Every structure is written in structure tokens, then in C-alpha cells.
Amino acid sequence: MIFKICGLRNKESLLCCEKNNVDFFGMIFYEQSPRNITFNEAETLISTSKKLRIQPVGVFVDHKIKDLKKIISSLALKYIQLHGREGQLYIDEIKKQFDVKIIKKISINKSEDLNIINKFKNIDYLLFDYKPDNNELPGGNAKSFDWNLLKHQKFKLPWFISGGINETNIKNIQNLLNPNGIDLSSGVEVSKGIKSNSKINNLFKKFYDN
């Protein structure tokens, strides 16, 4: 199982993730998010991660492509997550210039929402998340969609499940689905944007305990 924790902003959380064998940490470059990271904070985390196994992922929501390119280049990102309504031309523009792996968010509310997957090419991972209302953030809302919508589905690409996952329901994912990865954020926080090392530790203990 691949694990990714999104919305990290400090070294203590990063080291806790490393201790729990988390594969990826997401840095959110989206000013409206309570988990928004500054460029300097991102530089510090990436510098620290170079001595660790965990890999950085830049997370963007309909970012101006010119600014996105600057961030990819300046931070030498190898993974990015597109968590907005970015289309194929946007994706192709990035892939044309950078050797970067792309995680594309797919918002889910009903089974028909899965049809959009066939429209995307040149991406490397799918990430299924709760479909937010117009007045909600694009992600990190501590809400889940109906996971049964993904039951028995087969995808050509490796995929993550996201949205409202915490220590009380993470075992259900194992029992119901067989994702390649699990993406966490609000489920390991004490309040929006504030990660809790004890919650991270407890979640992985629950996950690995028989």
C-alpha cells in the first residue's frame, strides 16, 4: 500500500511520516486552503526529505500554468498533484516541459463521475476524492464519498482513495477495496491544517494491527 499525507508544513510532521513509512508528503500551493504552504516552507521540507525515503508532491488547484512551471523548476519536483479542473491541454503542457509524475484528482459523487477518467491521457496516478459543494474547498473537507462506487472497478492506472479517511474507517478501505494508495489529510489533524503526530501514529497502528 502506498501512503500519502497531504498538507504538511513542518519538519516534525515530516519526520513522523517518515517514521511511519509514509511514501509521499503533499505540499499544498493553494492560498485559500488552511494547509497552504509558503515557498520557503516547501524548500525547507524538501531539503530535509533529501536525507529520507519519503518523497515530496506539489499539490495545485487550477494554478496559473506559468507560476506552476516556476515552482516545479525551482523546487525540482518529481511529483505533482492536480486537484482542480485542469484539462488535457494543461497536462500536456506540463509533460512537454518536465519529467514529472502527475496525480490527477477525480471528484466522485455518483458512478457517472468515473466516466471522465477516459478523457485523460499522459497522467500517472488517479486520486478519487469526495466531490465538494460550490462553497467547499477542493479537498481536505473531512468528507467521504460512497466507496462502494469503486467496488469491483478496474483501472489501468494506479490509484489513490481520499476523503475523510481516519483511524476509525481506514480498515474498511482494506476490507472493501483494493486501492494502490491511501491519501490522508484531515483524518490526522487536531484542527484544519494542524497535523497531529499522535493521530498519525495511532492511524498506522490501527492499520497494521490485525
Side-chain angles (χ1 to χ4, degrees), residues 94-129:
I94 296 164
K95 283 285 194 174
K96 188 169 67 178
Q97 189 169 341
F98 298 100
D99 180 20
V100 65
K101 301 287 187 188
I102 294 179
I103 304 168
K104 183 70 183 88
K105 188 266 300 243
I106 309 294
S107 295
I108 302 291
N109 180 38
K110 55 187 184 297
S111 59
E112 289 79 8
D113 291 326
L114 293 170
N115 295 337
I116 195 172
I117 294 168
N118 301 318
K119 295 182 180 179
F120 289 116
K121 298 173 184 175
N122 224 3
I123 58 174
D124 303 280
Y125 299 87
L126 300 167
L127 185 146
F128 298 107
D129 198 1

Side-chain angles (χ1 to χ4, degrees), residues 7 10 14 16-17 45 69 113 120 155 179 193:
N10 63 65
L14 179 63
C16 182
C17 288
L45 289 187
K69 287 179 177 181
D113 291 326
F120 289 116
F155 303 108

Side-chain angles (χ1 to χ4, degrees), residues 5-14 25-49 55-61 63 67 71 75 77 189 192-195:
I5 296 188
C6 237
L8 263 63
R9 290 186 297 177
N10 63 65
K11 186 177 175 180
E12 291 72 30
S13 297
L14 179 63
F25 67 98
M27 303 171 295
I28 298 176
F29 294 90
Y30 182 59
E31 289 181 1
Q32 291 162 262
S33 171
R35 303 169 184 91
N36 183 50
I37 194 167
T38 67
F39 185 84
N40 288 343
E41 287 171 335
E43 274 189 318
T44 300
L45 289 187
I46 289 172
S47 175
T48 301
S49 74
Q55 296 286 310
V57 179
V59 181
F60 304 90
V61 179
H63 217 84
D67 295 336
I71 294 172
L75 296 177
L77 293 173
E189 292 179 341
K192 276 196 175 183
I194 308 299
K195 294 291 184 282

